Amino acid sequence: MDKVNSSVVSEFVLLGLSSSQELQLFFFVFFSVLYAVIVLGNLLIIITVTSDNRLHSPMYFLLGNLSFVDICQASFATPKMIADFLSEHKTISFSGCIAQIFFIHLFTGGEMVLLVSMAYDRYVAICKPLHYVVIMSRRTCTVLVMVSWAVGLVHTLSQLSFTVNLPFCGPNVVDSFFCDLPRVTKLACLDSYIIEILIVINSGILSLSTFSFLVSSYIIILVTVWFKSSAAMAKAFSTLAAHITVVILFFGPCIFIYVWPFTTYPVDKLLAIFYTVFTPILNPIIYTLRNRDMKAAMRKIMTYYLRPKKISEIPLVARNSLY
């Protein structure tokens, strides 16, 4: 940590998405609305899953946890990005930059493992339906969620171990809207080639292993139902379509940025927006619009809280206060 304290750089300058004043005003409104939808949409999923007894199953338990991770993932940098659209000086402290690197890898690493857990849940439900209740018990689901957070924590701490002691003695301009690890590492006042390779290996092992497991599980499911009937095949594909869509949209940008040879491209900023902002908003849309149980439960909750209350439904204490 002495090397950190001796670094000349005390803050980093974030170039953001655009230097155009008109575009920044548009981005401010656009991303403010998106962020509000992300938080409210995922909160609605969490409330629906916890309040409706019919949704107290492993699949919805994991979906509720995914929504919580999505809120966290969208919140580590998006609020600051939105505030920076109205600021001329887009800076972040050294400790704030390290915190952003910590949280992005914690949440993305955890979400990768959580998506694997959801794929495993679908595999058991489709390929071993008679043993589903026994295999996917409450204890198993809790362990899967705890493992996802543990893997995310180990992943982000290992990434920080490569970065936190780097000396930053001059360049401090990050061409992104948050402290993106590949771009920050390149600002160090030494040859960071070995560290870049270690970061790629770290991210590559996690990304490619979880992605390979997901693809393998989907192939096994489809092959299994292929021999049963065309109706079972259609039902399985319909169930997996949402999962496959989320996996492609989430893993695609991550693999391109962190597993590709360590070179930064202008498109990296667009891809970073995709997995930090767009994926958290697509998850609730994809998983709820294709799920009749979730839509029915949400409709029931919204009807209950939004429709006018009858006098007989108002609690007695509240009724007395009206007179």
Side-chain angles (χ1 to χ4, degrees):
M1 293 300 291
D2 292 337
K3 291 182 181 179
V4 176
N5 296 333
S6 64
S7 295
V8 175
V9 173
S10 60
E11 66 178 16
F12 291 95
V13 177
L14 303 175
L15 293 185
L17 298 180
S18 173
S19 58
S20 169
Q21 197 66 34
E22 293 78 10
L23 274 178
Q24 291 198 53
L25 185 58
F26 167 76
F27 285 149
F28 172 78
V29 176
F30 179 70
F31 285 106
S32 295
V33 173
L34 273 186
Y35 182 66
V37 173
I38 289 170
V39 174
L40 294 176
N42 283 289
L43 273 178
L44 180 59
I45 290 178
I46 295 172
I47 294 171
T48 303
V49 169
T50 54
S51 60
D52 195 317
N53 292 329
R54 293 173 299 176
L55 301 182
H56 290 178
S57 65
M59 182 179 73
Y60 295 110
F61 173 77
L62 296 173
L63 178 58
N65 280 275
L66 179 65
S67 292
F68 176 74
V69 174
D70 281 337
I71 293 175
C72 296
Q73 187 171 313
S75 300
F76 87 97
T78 307
K80 174 165 177 53
M81 177 185 69
I82 293 172
D84 283 345
F85 288 136
L86 301 181
S87 174
E88 293 184 7
H89 305 287
K90 302 174 178 61
T91 60
I92 185 171
S93 65
F94 183 87
S95 58
C97 185
I98 295 298
Q100 283 194 343
I101 294 173
F102 173 84
F103 286 119
I104 181 59
H105 288 279
L106 172 66
F107 300 139
T108 53
E111 180 158 344
M112 287 179 184
V113 180
L114 197 55
L115 288 173
V116 170
S117 301
M118 296 178 72
Y120 176 70
D121 170 75
R122 291 300 84 203
Y123 163 77
V124 177
I126 295 173
C127 298
K128 300 184 178 182
L130 298 179
H131 304 283
Y132 180 74
V133 176
V134 176
I135 296 175
M136 296 302 297
S137 62
R138 179 179 292 273
R139 181 175 178 275
T140 302
C141 293
T142 304
V143 169
L144 289 174
V145 172
M146 291 176 64
V147 168
S148 69
W149 283 103
V151 171
L153 183 61
V154 171
H155 171 62
T156 192
L157 289 178
S158 60
Q159 294 286 58
L160 282 182
S161 67
F162 304 138
T163 311
V164 72
N165 287 323
L166 289 175
F168 297 93
C169 54
N172 68 334
V173 178
V174 181
D175 187 15
S176 186
F177 61 94
F178 73 102
C179 284
D180 198 10
L181 183 58
R183 296 178 184 273
V184 172
T185 304
K186 286 188 173 296
L187 299 177
C189 299
L190 51 74
D191 185 2
S192 59
Y193 178 76
I194 300 299
I195 294 175
E196 292 174 359
I197 293 298
L198 292 174
I199 292 173
V200 169
I201 292 174
N202 189 338
S203 297
I205 290 174
L206 179 61
S207 301
L208 292 179
S209 61
T210 51
F211 183 74
S212 300
F213 187 92
L214 286 167
V215 173
S216 301
S217 65
Y218 295 148
I219 292 174
I220 292 172
I221 292 173
L222 293 176
V223 169
T224 301
V225 299
W226 176 271
F227 295 102
K228 292 184 178 180
S229 66
S230 57
M233 179 68 177
K235 183 179 179 181
F237 186 80
S238 176
T239 303
L240 294 178
H243 294 259
I244 294 172
T245 304
V246 170
V247 166
I248 293 173
L249 294 177
F250 178 73
F251 278 87
C254 290
I255 291 175
F256 183 89
I257 294 174
Y258 287 96
V259 182
W260 210 255
F262 215 94
T263 305
T264 55
Y265 301 94
V267 74
D268 286 357
K269 282 197 284 188
L270 177 62
L271 295 176
I273 291 175
F274 216 89
Y275 71 81
T276 57
V277 179
F278 288 119
T279 301
I281 198 174
L282 287 174
N283 281 351
I285 294 174
I286 291 172
Y287 280 111
T288 55
L289 292 184
R290 296 179 57 87
N291 191 303
R292 285 178 293 181
D293 292 336
M294 279 295 298
K295 287 191 291 185
M298 285 183 172
R299 198 178 301 115
K300 180 181 176 182
I301 288 177
M302 294 183 71
T303 302
Y304 177 79
Y305 285 105
L306 296 180
R307 69 184 175 85
K309 299 284 186 181
K310 297 179 181 179
I311 295 295
S312 58
E313 294 176 338
I314 301 177
L316 184 60
V317 175
R319 252 185 285 166
N320 292 335
S321 65
L322 295 176
Y323 298 101

